[in-house]
Amino acid sequence: MKRNKFILATGLFAVALSSCTDLEVAPSSQYIVDPSENSGIDPMIVVEAKMSDVYFHLAGTLGRRYMEAQCLASDEFTGLAFDGGYYDSGTYAHQALHCSSATDASLDWYSDVTAGITKANTILADLGSGASDQMKAPARAMRAYFTWILMDSFGDTPIIESIPAEGEVVPRSPRKEVAEWIEKELTEIIPSLTEDVTENTYGKPTKWMAEALLAKLYLNWAVYTAESVDKYDAATAANPKLDACIEACNDIINSGKFNLGSVDYLHKFSYDNGWTVEDFIYVMPYDAIDRAGFQYARPRSFKQLKGMVPNVYGSSDAFTQSFGGNMVVTPEFVKLFSLEGDIRNLCILKGDVFIRDPKTLRPTSEPFMFKDKQVHFTETITLAKQDNTIDVGNTDESIQQGAHSIKWFIIPADYNNGRNQSNDLPLFRYADILLMKAECLARTGQSGAKDLFNQVRKYAGAPEIAAEPTLSDIYDERGREFFDENWRRNDMIRFGHFEDEFFPHYQNFPDANFDKRHRIFPIEQEMLDLNPGWEQNPGY
């Protein structure tokens, strides 16, 4: 595991931050060191110490529940139950069927994100009006990012620029106004953020992180500023921010600080990835002991993997923690992974399964065996009963239904620590910048998308294209490149595919919902209870 790869020495500057989930409660904070010019200490060092809690505040949320909501609501994954096991009150099935509930466990992170905003505002308040723009920019960047998460997933969102007074309820602002506020924040702070890309800036907001978020905001501008969630029409919506998106992408591209191929695709997401991956613009760094919370392998790995030696991950040591195996790739999405020579195909386990080499991460010739038979993951899924539980039963055959993701490769030394992993999670990648620009060029009828598209194809070992890509080509390529990285729901809405049919989100399937208002999730019940005057999102 990667020990102490990015641990800030916050013990030098004790920081006590209240992480409130109630927008009525005014948090308190106490810093031992005052970052004034008379303290005798470099104020930027003090700010850095204060900010560490904000940088990594969402480690737990991004490491599990946020992922469940984004992945299961897309056509990438569905959540299976095994004779009632892992049904868990429907929290996984609800997302897959687009019939979410305000009490679903996979949506219980709204309050955590608002707590992050409160932490950022507390730091800004303590810095005071005399602090330089450079000192305040990181906290504002994180506040903008946290606000974007809420706006993208839940629509109308409170704009919280200061610590609420006691008893104050901050109203939710219209989504369009939130998007405009995020744009204003980012354009104001970008000149004050560092341009450095080093081990020291890894996992922290930089100019490039803010520009990547701005590009993502602009690309989805027509979605975020539509009259209402259900009024966005991908076929007719005009996006006045496409040129601005290209400009933001160009700034990142022209910086020369990032590239696609310094690390091969499989190792970018492995247990030993890190700051040397030059495709990563902004990440959440994890360590199974020092920064826990990343738990992608638990629901993606074979249900009976515990105790198996040898196992599919090629380890001679046994996994001592259990696995769920309940998140499987939909039959429709698996079909994307069929390009000849494409290394990304190896992120999917389908058909006969072979043991992987834990160093190369590629399959060996040794079959992965279970009860004297080679494990065989079927692409198709047959339910034990046609109801909204998405239950396949719990036989040796039924638990091998559905293709599995092995993108987030694990080792027992990590996983045996409470099912945690040391894989760092990229939030913005250079490959995304290239494909976002290509999409903007295609949408505006300009040339140049082919070269950008082929840069991604070439480093993946996939066939290059001979003509300018269509929007359909770009949509499919984004599916391959950013599979299992929490972007598919966002892409599906923008491209007009969120209401498509994909397993088990089929017309006439029990509880499958095609209401366009379900492009956003319901507000978690706790937030409604704590903030009088807030109303549930329409359609829920």
Side-chain angles (χ1 to χ4, degrees), residues 25-89:
V25 178
S28 62
S29 68
Q30 179 65 47
Y31 299 110
I32 290 178
V33 178
D34 177 21
S36 68
E37 59 184 19
N38 298 320
S39 67
I41 297 175
D42 183 347
M44 290 306 295
I45 295 178
V46 180
V47 174
E48 184 77 351
K50 293 180 177 184
M51 282 299 301
S52 64
D53 192 38
V54 181
Y55 294 149
F56 311 119
H57 172 73
L58 288 186
T61 292
L62 294 175
R64 183 182 177 188
R65 293 304 192 186
Y66 178 82
M67 167 274 292
E68 291 172 354
Q70 303 300 325
C71 287
L72 290 169
S74 78
D75 63 350
E76 290 181 317
F77 289 94
T78 192
L80 302 181
F82 304 111
D83 196 20
Y86 289 97
Y87 179 64
D88 291 5
S89 302

Side-chain angles (χ1 to χ4, degrees), residues 18-19 78 114 130 138 141 165 193 253 255 266 293-294 302 310 334 365 378 419 423 425 449 464 471 483 487 535:
S18 166
S19 59
T78 192
T114 60
L193 288 166
I253 294 169
S255 73
L266 299 182
F294 190 76
F302 182 47
V334 168
S365 59
T378 63
R419 304 186 184 90
N423 315 58
L425 175 66
E464 297 180 39
L471 286 176
F483 163 60
W487 285 116
E535 296 182 358

Side-chain angles (χ1 to χ4, degrees), residues 226-377:
E227 180 182 350
S228 59
V229 170
D230 56 314
K231 297 300 183 183
Y232 171 75
D233 183 348
T236 61
N239 186 346
K241 297 289 189 178
L242 293 177
D243 286 339
C245 182
I246 292 173
E247 183 178 351
C249 291
N250 280 342
D251 206 28
I252 295 172
I253 294 169
N254 295 335
S255 73
K257 294 180 180 291
F258 307 96
N259 70 72
L260 295 175
S262 62
V263 175
D264 75 58
Y265 189 85
L266 299 182
H267 283 88
K268 289 182 183 183
F269 311 99
S270 181
Y271 57 89
D272 58 354
N273 66 352
W275 79 274
T276 57
V277 181
E278 294 176 338
D279 186 22
F280 291 179
I281 296 173
Y282 180 57
V283 305
M284 178 60 72
Y286 286 93
D287 183 275
I289 294 178
D290 294 318
R291 187 170 297 112
F294 190 76
Q295 297 190 345
Y296 278 36
R298 180 183 184 184
R300 288 162 174 75
S301 300
F302 182 47
K303 184 174 182 289
Q304 300 294 351
L305 193 61
K306 178 182 176 181
M308 294 181 67
V309 177
N311 55 62
V312 69
Y313 290 103
S315 173
S316 58
D317 296 324
F319 290 99
T320 60
Q321 302 287 312
S322 63
F323 291 84
N326 58 308
M327 280 183 61
V328 299
V329 185
T330 69
E332 291 81 7
F333 197 80
V334 168
K335 291 179 172 58
L336 286 179
F337 295 87
S338 58
L339 296 178
E340 184 178 356
D342 193 340
I343 192 175
R344 298 169 300 190
N345 296 342
L346 298 180
C347 292
I348 302 283
L349 293 174
K350 61 180 179 179
D352 290 339
V353 180
F354 293 84
I355 289 174
R356 296 292 176 104
D357 184 318
K359 293 183 178 179
T360 68
L361 313 182
R362 294 172 180 268
T364 67
S365 59
E366 183 179 0
F368 173 45
M369 306 294 288
F370 172 60
K371 293 187 176 180
D372 298 323
K373 293 183 180 179
Q374 185 172 11
V375 173
H376 182 94
F377 290 136

Side-chain angles (χ1 to χ4, degrees), residues 9 23 61 109 114 136 158 180 187-188 195 228 259 270 287 344 375 385 389 457 462 470 514:
L23 297 185
T61 292
W109 40 272
T114 60
K136 293 185 289 186
E180 292 169 342
T187 54
E188 285 183 1
E195 296 185 10
S228 59
N259 70 72
S270 181
D287 183 275
R344 298 169 300 190
V375 173
K385 47 187 175 180
T389 61
R457 281 285 183 93
T470 65
F514 293 83

